């Protein structure tokens, strides 16, 4: 059996720290990165009316690669075959592009609420991803349901107050939601099946393999040329995008650390808490009114988070046991594990 990979986050050792310190460090990096990301996205999409999700994701990818290079990562550090990341990269880039593009049809709080519901599909999908086969206790599903119900209430209240709430945006963010359900579980499966995988490898390979996937939608929709023209007329937008990508890079590496240490479903609940904070900041910074329905939705979200945090038992989410296989010599073998690995790639 392979020894567990020693985890670090921007030079800070995680493996030799107690669990609560690991959680605090990773969560702090995640909150910082994505709170800055949220403010930048609100400014670019809703204030400047720039809705070029695929193009902005493309720019972000190159910033990621430069920052990964500064971290000292090279291709010599890759321990998984590149084909492992093809499916993951397609899902990742599709999720990013649809999420950013949906802001042209949804206001930012509505988008956050839809994305926050991913905790349920992430939990459900975990039961079917090879290498995981997760089973969760009943109270965690109830917790996730309360979160989703609160998000729906908030979204409906927002729909009554904001004209920027279109069906196209709902379809785009729903597609991103489905992709996110696969994404977190696939990332956890790779970390689980090869503990030597680092966060930098995951982000580097996903970005390198994923960037070509962005060309097709950019060219087919004409967004590449429209975005180039618009940004050339307002070059300061590139400064905002680079700053946003730098902050998001910190958040993304922190998320991968959370997935490696605590799993996809727990990470999804943490991201939901962050989105609640981002929501409140969006309303406070950009002076939007809050109603009683908004408050009811936020209350249900808080109840779901608290229920998740209350320890019902000491057992972690279990894995569905794999069916044993028989070796040629008559004993149980590792063929089942090998099949799990192959299905990922």
């Amino acid at each position: 059996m392979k020894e567990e990979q020693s985890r670090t986050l921007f030079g800070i050792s995680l493996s030799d720290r107690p669990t609560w310190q690991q959680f605090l460090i990773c969560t702090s990096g995640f909150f910082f990165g994505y709170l800055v990301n949220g403010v930048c996205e609100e400014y670019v999409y809703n204030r400047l009316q720039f809705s070029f999700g695929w193009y902005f994701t493309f720019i972000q990818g190159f910033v990621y690669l430069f920052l990964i290079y500064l971290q000292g990562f090279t291709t010599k550090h890759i321990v998984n075959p590149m084909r492992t990341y093809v499916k993951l990269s397609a899902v990742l880039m599709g999720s990013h592009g649809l999420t950013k593009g949906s802001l042209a049809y949804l206001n930012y709080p509505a988008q956050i609420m839809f994305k926050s519901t991913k905790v349920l599909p992430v939990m459900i999908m975990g039961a079917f991803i090879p290498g995981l086969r997760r089973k969760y206790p009943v109270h965690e599903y109830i917790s996730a349901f309360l979160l989703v119900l609160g998000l729906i209430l908030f979204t409906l209240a927002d729909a009554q107050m904001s004209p920027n709430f279109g069906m196209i945006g709902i379809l785009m963010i729903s597609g991103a939601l489905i992709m996110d359900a696969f994404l977190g579980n696939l990332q956890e499966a790779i970390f689980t099946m090869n503990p030597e995988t680092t966060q930098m490898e995951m982000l580097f390979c996903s970005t390198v393999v994923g960037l070509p996937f962005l060309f097709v939608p950019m060219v087919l929709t004409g967004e590449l040329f429209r975005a180039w023209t618009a940004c050339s007329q307002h070059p300061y937008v590139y400064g905002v995008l680079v700053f946003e990508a730098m902050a998001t890079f910190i958040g993304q590496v922190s998320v991968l650390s959370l997935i490696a240490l605590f799993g996809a479903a727990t990470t999804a609940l943490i991201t939901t808490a962050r989105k609640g904070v981002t929501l409140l900041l969006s309303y406070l910074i950009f002076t939007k009114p809050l109603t009683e329905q908004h408050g009811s939705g936020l209350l249900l979200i808080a109840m779901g988070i608290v229920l998740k945090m209350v320890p019902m038992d000491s057992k972690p989410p279990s894995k569905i046991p794999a069916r044993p296989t028989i070796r040629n010599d008559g004993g149980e073998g590792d063929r089942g594990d090998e099949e799990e690995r192959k299905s990922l790639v």
Side-chain angles (χ1 to χ4, degrees):
M1 191 176 198
K2 293 181 180 178
E3 295 184 1
E4 183 123 358
Q5 167 71 20
S6 177
R7 298 284 170 198
T8 61
L9 181 61
F10 300 114
I12 302 174
S13 176
L14 297 175
S15 300
D16 57 355
R17 296 176 183 270
T19 301
W20 70 269
Q21 288 187 13
Q22 295 177 354
F23 180 84
L24 182 62
I25 293 171
C26 295
T27 303
S28 297
F30 166 67
F31 266 73
F32 168 77
Y34 278 94
L35 285 175
V36 173
N37 167 268
V39 173
C40 291
E41 284 191 344
E42 176 86 358
Y43 175 75
V44 171
Y45 283 89
N46 287 348
R47 300 297 167 174
L48 299 182
Q49 298 296 311
F50 280 16
S51 55
F52 308 120
W54 301 109
Y55 183 75
F56 290 167
T57 304
F58 188 71
I59 298 297
Q60 184 183 63
F62 281 100
V63 177
Y64 278 7
L65 293 178
F66 178 70
L67 293 174
I68 291 171
Y69 171 77
L70 292 181
Q71 292 292 314
F73 181 85
T74 66
T75 54
K76 295 180 180 179
H77 297 105
I78 298 176
V79 297
N80 293 303
M82 289 298 289
R83 66 177 182 273
T84 303
Y85 296 99
V86 174
K87 185 190 302 183
L88 180 67
S89 300
V91 172
L92 177 64
M93 293 303 171
S95 174
H96 283 344
L98 289 173
T99 298
K100 291 181 180 293
S102 68
L103 281 171
Y105 307 95
L106 300 173
N107 64 347
Y108 192 69
Q111 187 219 58
I112 287 180
M113 290 294 95
F114 270 99
K115 288 284 283 184
S116 296
T117 62
K118 75 177 183 180
V119 61
L120 270 179
V122 165
M123 292 173 72
I124 295 171
M125 197 67 65
F128 302 97
I129 295 294
L132 291 181
R133 307 295 188 188
R134 294 289 189 194
K135 292 193 299 182
Y136 296 93
V138 174
H139 81 274
E140 293 201 18
Y141 283 103
I142 296 175
S143 168
F145 177 76
L146 288 174
L147 282 171
V148 172
L149 185 59
L151 302 174
I152 291 174
L153 275 179
F154 196 103
T155 304
L156 291 177
D158 198 52
Q160 295 170 5
M161 300 184 59
S162 172
N164 195 17
F165 192 90
M167 183 56 65
I168 295 178
I170 294 176
L171 293 175
M172 291 179 72
I173 202 64
S174 297
L177 188 63
I178 294 172
M179 292 184 178
D180 280 341
F182 282 99
L183 180 61
N185 284 300
L186 286 173
Q187 289 171 329
E188 184 184 354
I190 293 173
F191 280 129
T192 300
M193 296 168 67
N194 191 346
E196 294 182 1
T197 307
T198 64
Q199 301 96 306
M200 288 300 167
E201 174 185 336
M202 182 79 71
L203 191 56
F204 174 80
C205 294
S206 300
T207 303
V208 168
V209 177
L211 282 174
F213 285 103
L214 297 175
F215 268 106
V216 175
M218 280 197 298
V219 173
L220 291 180
T221 61
E223 181 177 308
L224 176 61
F225 309 104
R226 288 186 284 109
W228 176 265
T229 301
C231 292
S232 297
Q233 295 172 354
H234 303 85
Y236 66 89
V237 172
Y238 284 110
V240 177
L241 292 177
V242 171
F243 179 71
E244 176 192 348
M246 292 171 66
T248 308
F249 176 78
I250 297 174
Q252 187 64 49
V253 177
S254 300
V255 165
L256 291 174
S257 301
L258 285 168
I259 291 174
L261 294 170
F262 300 100
T266 298
T267 302
L269 285 169
I270 296 170
T271 59
T272 297
R274 186 276 305 177
K275 286 165 184 168
V277 176
T278 305
L279 257 173
L280 291 177
L281 285 178
S282 174
Y283 273 85
L284 293 174
I285 294 175
F286 298 102
T287 61
K288 302 172 184 178
L290 283 168
T291 67
E292 291 183 2
Q293 189 170 338
H294 285 104
S296 299
L298 291 174
L299 178 61
L300 286 173
I301 293 170
M303 290 172 61
I305 294 174
V306 170
L307 180 60
K308 166 64 179 177
M309 294 173 65
V310 173
M312 297 294 180
D313 54 51
S314 59
K315 294 181 180 179
S318 59
K319 293 184 180 181
I320 299 174
R323 291 188 302 270
T325 55
I326 306 300
R327 293 200 309 250
N328 291 335
D329 59 3
E332 291 187 359
D334 297 327
R335 191 175 303 165
D337 292 340
E338 188 65 29
E339 290 295 326
E340 298 269 288
R341 283 192 182 84
K342 289 181 178 178
S343 61
L344 272 181
V345 299

